[in-house]
Amino acid sequence: MCRFLKWLMIPLTLGLGTGALDAFAKSASSLSQAAMVSHRLVGSEVEAKLLRSDPTYVSIVRREFNVVVPQNEMKFGWVSRKRGEYDFTDADFIVDFAQKNRMKVRGTTLAWHRNYPRWLWDTNFSGDELKKILLEHIATEVGHFAFKFPGRVFVWDVVNEAIGPNGKPRPETIWSKIGQNPGDYIPLAFQAARKADPTSELFYNDYGIEEVNSKSDAVYELLKSLKAGGVPIDGIGFQMHIGFREPLQMDSVRKNMERFSKLGLKIQITEFDYLLPNNPSQELLERQARAYHDAAALCVSTPACEAFLSWGFTDAHSWIPDFFPGYGSALYFDEKYQPKPAYQGLLSGLLLR
Ligand code: XIL
């Protein structure tokens, strides 16, 4: 389709339902093609076990994405089952797969209050010991990928979900015992990551900070002061786990992205999914399509926004039903790997500028 026609169709696309989205999106035959047109990255979390065993899953990943992120395989609890021992077999498998298919990889996540090793739970380590453990972990893991696959893991989520709902650093994270104050580990983690790989982009990643609200205000102040103090932080990840009962106010998301980008930060949408109840109505599926469309279109029209990643792509394999029972329809391929209306929504959103 010629460029002029494409532009003519934009108002139609915005004004009408998914039928019009369909027509607009026909000019690109995959998400990665659409993202390439817009100079963006598009991808999903993937699992090593499925890349090893499920040819349909593999063919969709190869066709649709130019970036992937291991769902759990890089998390501390996965890579270090015993203190001082590391096993990167599963994460290596994913990074190697990405390399062979010319995709980038997001690394997630180095300091989090969840998914860390059992041995860390079991012993009552002092703050100093925990500091040593965290810094060694970051040096080992980031160093491993920088050495084995230079440049491939282009982003690390260094700190994940550090701010609690009250806008303060979470005291429940094990890392809060480091230093005098609960957030003292945050700059240390970024510095250790930069030292281990001077070339990858270092991100702060969180949920519930998409709009301008008290939590995003707190994260904004945190990152502003870290940057002012010379802490190496390059970007912010908006997870964007959304429920159909609490749709995002996109004007507010846009304003929020603008203020973070003015701090000199890059932006990525890192874990998009849109919760719908099982067996959703056509109306809800179209609402979901619109939400995928709007988020991708916002990323494409925001210069600082580099990437749109969802947390999974098929309802056959999603974390949602385990954590939110009854809401198993959050993604854009159904359980049989057939595209849902949300696929067309995402595709057309990626093409908009
Ligand atoms: C989730 C995984 O999908 C689950 O398999 C695991 O049990 C827990 O973590 N925010 C994040 C992701 O940053 O790492 C989480 O992934 C989902 C919420």
Side-chain angles (χ1 to χ4, degrees):
M1 187 191 296
C2 79
R3 246 188 131 68
F4 175 63
L5 260 183
K6 252 191 205 171
W7 284 107
L8 252 186
M9 290 183 72
I10 291 173
L12 289 178
T13 309
L14 289 173
L16 298 175
T18 49
L21 293 181
D22 266 14
F24 185 57
K26 270 196 187 120
S27 51
S29 64
S30 67
L31 301 176
S32 57
Q33 253 184 34
M36 212 161 65
V37 173
S38 307
H39 305 287
R40 293 296 187 280
L41 297 168
V42 65
S44 167
E45 58 82 359
V46 292
E47 291 180 66
K49 112 175 160 230
L50 296 169
L51 289 179
R52 287 191 178 105
S53 63
D54 184 338
T56 312
Y57 181 94
V58 171
S59 70
I60 294 178
V61 173
R62 292 175 64 175
R63 187 180 69 227
E64 302 292 345
F65 303 137
N66 52 21
V67 58
V68 291
V69 51
Q71 179 178 202
N72 289 308
E73 291 84 340
M74 287 180 167
K75 292 174 183 167
F76 197 10
W78 194 287
V79 299
S80 178
R81 307 270 161 152
K82 286 192 186 149
R83 187 172 179 192
E85 287 182 19
Y86 283 84
D87 180 353
F88 294 114
T89 313
D90 292 330
D92 280 356
F93 185 85
I94 294 175
V95 181
D96 186 55
F97 170 89
Q99 182 151 294
K100 287 186 177 127
N101 291 285
R102 282 184 246 110
M103 294 170 182
K104 297 192 180 222
V105 179
R106 298 191 88 255
T108 200
T109 178
L110 299 169
W112 193 23
H113 62 286
R114 306 177 69 148
N115 288 43
Y116 50 79
R118 179 94 243 168
W119 57 261
L120 208 47
W121 284 98
D122 287 348
T123 316
N124 193 14
F125 289 109
S126 69
D128 283 349
E129 283 169 318
L130 284 166
K131 179 173 166 188
K132 194 161 170 271
I133 289 168
L134 179 64
L135 299 187
E136 261 174 28
H137 160 53
I138 293 175
T140 308
E141 174 144 15
V142 175
H144 168 84
F145 291 101
F147 179 73
K148 190 159 180 186
F149 302 96
R152 187 60 50 184
V153 180
F154 79 119
V155 165
W156 279 102
D157 286 331
V158 178
V159 174
N160 197 31
E161 302 177 356
I163 298 297
N166 61 359
K168 302 254 179 311
R170 286 177 189 277
E172 71 266 32
T173 177
I174 195 162
W175 310 120
S176 70
K177 283 171 76 182
I178 296 173
Q180 307 297 313
N181 305 302
D184 283 358
Y185 72 93
I186 297 173
L188 298 176
F190 279 100
Q191 280 148 358
R194 176 57 34 96
K195 197 166 157 212
D197 180 1
T199 65
S200 62
E201 296 173 8
L202 307 181
F203 270 57
Y204 176 88
N205 190 48
D206 213 331
Y207 68 91
I209 56 163
E210 292 77 19
E211 297 167 322
V212 176
N213 57 32
S214 56
K215 186 170 170 184
S216 66
D217 286 351
V219 171
Y220 178 80
E221 292 305 327
L222 170 71
L223 301 194
K224 192 172 157 189
S225 77
L226 290 175
K227 281 209 69 112
V231 175
I233 166 158
D234 305 307
I236 174 142
F238 297 106
Q239 293 186 5
M240 287 205 194
H241 298 289
I242 308 169
F244 75 106
R245 287 187 208 287
E246 307 92 28
L248 287 178
Q249 301 301 316
M250 295 313 280
D251 282 351
S252 182
V253 180
R254 181 183 294 281
K255 278 200 196 106
N256 198 35
M257 283 191 175
E258 274 164 15
R259 67 171 169 166
F260 279 99
S261 80
K262 282 195 188 125
L263 287 181
L265 295 170
K266 297 178 174 167
I267 294 171
Q268 301 191 350
I269 295 172
T270 53
E271 306 185 15
F272 194 95
D273 43 28
Y274 187 92
L275 272 71
L276 289 183
N278 296 338
N279 308 312
S281 64
Q282 190 61 25
E283 194 256 316
L284 283 181
L285 287 170
E286 297 201 357
R287 240 198 264 176
Q288 183 180 51
R290 173 62 55 190
Y292 273 93
H293 171 276
D294 289 351
L298 179 57
C299 182
V300 165
S301 65
T302 301
C305 186
E306 309 179 299
F308 176 100
L309 288 97
S310 54
W311 208 242
F313 57 91
T314 161
D315 293 333
H317 303 288
S318 163
W319 73 299
I320 292 292
D322 292 339
F323 286 75
F324 305 94
Y327 289 86
S329 184
L331 298 166
Y332 43 95
F333 285 91
D334 69 13
E335 289 184 353
K336 297 193 171 119
Y337 294 129
Q338 294 307 305
K340 294 159 64 177
Y343 177 86
Q344 294 300 328
L346 175 53
L347 186 67
S348 61
L350 286 170
L351 285 165
L352 270 193
R353 258 197 278 195

